[in-house]
Amino acid sequence: MSYTIEGRTGTWEIVVGLEVHAQIISHSKLFSGASTTFGGAPNTQVSLVDAAFPGMLPVINHECVAQAVRTGVGLNAQINLFSRFDRKNYFYADLPQGYQISQFEHPIVGKGVVSIELQNGDVREIGITRLHIEQDAGKLLHDQDPTKSFVDLNRSGVALMEIVSEPDIREPEEAGAYLRKLRQILRYLGTCDGNMEEGSMRADVNVSVRKAGEPFRTRCEIKNVNSIRFVMQAIEVEAARQVEIWENGGEVDQETRLFDPGRGETRTMRSKEDAHDYRYFPDPDLLPLVLEQAWVDELAANLPELPDAKRARFQAEYGIAFYDAGVLVAEQAVAEYYEAVARGRDGKLAATWVMGDLFAALNRTSNSIETSPVSAAALGKMLDLIADKTINGKIAKEVFEDMVETGESPDAIVEKKGLRQVTDTGAIDAAITAVLEKHPDKLAEYRSGKDKLFGFFVGQVMKETKGKANPAMVNEALKAKLDA
């Protein structure tokens, strides 16, 4: 059932479109050679172009253009071979030029689509309106002095992709799923690191409400929301605010608002500008951007395998479930780790170990997949020891815990601790005989028809062999003895 708000006058649905600003991964800025490294001391990564000194001319960064094209291809979008840079004019203290170089009428990427999966398994497609390239502004610091604001221009001129969705989103969960999927695609492509905490990906959230079947009503834009959870919360509280206004006979003003997560509310930032307020015109210092189809095709041909394709391949190649494949491809590093473990082995068993014991160990030791104390090669070797019956599943868990703690190889742990599985039929028979002699009453009960006691005897034999006996061999030999 879709997300709705029940008001006094009836049922309302929400309409959401997202404008995502994603910082392009490149060593230098969009129109200058200044560094883009995060965390530098204020105003240490600023060129004369970024600071808008008189006479400084922008020079386009070839790699930033390539990254935007790669992203467009990854979003199944139209790549425009002709695009143009425009000046978006406005005054703000963190914008030295007095304008932002952006793309207005002719963006580099046109319409595309992103498929998202909801918690109930439903798959929806969210349209992409456009993707354009633009400069980021600087950053104002208001907490450095009681009476003054400081400006840091390190971010000024950094290349951004603004990815604009169609107003296709109808509930907060869909907005969250869309942002997660978009971030996943960008990370796979290597075009943006998706780090919302560092500001390299942030969202402007356009929200309106309407009754079913109505045309769109007035929307408000919530600026610079920097976490997926906050985006979802902002949609809920802003939609509720608008419903209350409409139901009280008021009008929602088109405006830009800020979300305050501490108070769980949005508040007015400024009245919403329209395009004509920015006096867009073509940037006279930059020629139109004209791409060759052959270059676009070359970039497309060299893209990595993307999440949806990888998920389908994992299902087909390794025989794992749709859900499991989704978990394993969520992060590219996890997908690479899993595939290194699964290649040439039992894919389902590999998935069980990666998603179960490995993820639990990473969580317990505060590690990521990149800093895992157990390498993919080591986990694969342990699965080989299970496959060749050197150890059984129970012993494998003990071996794995030792691998996490010590970093030793599974072979060394098995030899050092004497954990090699007992496959000697004579030893297993001796253990079974010892167990049956200890429990003559249980043996009599079993033979009188209590078949459920078979599990009891298996457990006792495994205990007798300290868990080292091959379970399949125990089952077979025990059955023969009990039924003799």
Side-chain angles (χ1 to χ4, degrees), residues 54 90 94 189 225 321 332 368:
Y90 66 95
D94 60 10
L189 290 167
V225 186
Q332 194 169 17
S368 67

Side-chain angles (χ1 to χ4, degrees), residues 235-459:
I235 291 169
E236 286 189 27
V237 300
E238 176 59 20
R241 184 189 75 86
Q242 292 183 22
V243 166
E244 186 176 2
I245 291 172
W246 289 117
E247 293 205 323
N248 288 334
E251 293 275 330
V252 170
D253 295 325
Q254 183 175 335
E255 61 182 353
T256 301
R257 300 179 68 83
L258 290 174
F259 175 59
D260 184 337
R263 295 184 175 184
E265 64 182 22
T266 65
R267 59 176 183 266
T268 300
M269 182 180 174
R270 60 175 180 264
S271 62
K272 177 62 181 170
E273 300 87 353
D274 289 312
H276 62 260
D277 295 317
Y278 290 113
R279 293 175 292 118
Y280 281 99
F281 62 87
D283 193 301
D285 292 333
L286 289 161
L287 290 169
L289 202 54
V290 180
L291 310 180
E292 293 181 355
Q293 186 63 51
W295 182 65
V296 173
D297 293 343
E298 182 185 350
L299 290 174
N302 289 304
L303 289 184
E305 185 180 37
L306 292 175
D308 288 349
K310 192 180 286 290
R311 184 179 197 170
R313 182 172 64 79
F314 278 10
Q315 285 182 264
E317 204 167 307
Y318 299 114
I320 60 177
F322 179 77
Y323 173 82
D324 292 351
V327 172
L328 293 168
V329 304
E331 297 287 345
Q332 194 169 17
V334 172
E336 290 171 357
Y337 185 104
Y338 166 72
E339 188 150 31
V341 175
R343 194 177 289 115
R345 300 185 177 97
D346 181 336
K348 289 182 179 177
L349 184 62
T352 298
W353 276 93
V354 171
M355 293 168 58
D357 295 72
L358 178 73
F359 281 5
L362 295 179
N363 187 48
R364 190 173 67 248
T365 59
S366 302
N367 274 295
S368 67
I369 197 77
E370 292 89 349
T371 59
S372 171
V374 178
S375 69
L379 181 54
K381 181 59 183 170
M382 193 194 78
L383 297 190
D384 291 340
L385 295 179
I386 297 173
D388 67 16
K389 297 184 169 52
T390 300
I391 57 175
N392 59 36
K394 183 180 177 183
I395 294 173
K397 289 191 176 290
E398 182 182 339
V399 171
F400 181 79
E401 289 306 316
D402 275 11
M403 291 164 67
V404 172
E405 295 298 323
T406 67
E408 288 189 72
S409 71
D411 310 69
I413 293 167
V414 168
E415 293 305 322
K416 184 171 76 176
K417 291 194 148 190
L419 297 174
R420 191 173 290 274
Q421 185 170 229
V422 176
T423 54
D424 175 4
T425 54
I428 290 173
D429 284 342
I432 290 172
T433 300
V435 167
L436 296 182
E437 286 176 354
K438 283 181 189 173
H439 302 283
D441 52 335
K442 299 288 186 187
L443 177 59
E445 285 182 49
Y446 175 85
R447 286 179 170 162
S448 68
K450 286 198 175 179
D451 293 350
K452 289 182 179 177
L453 284 170
F454 185 79
F456 165 78
F457 287 117
V458 170

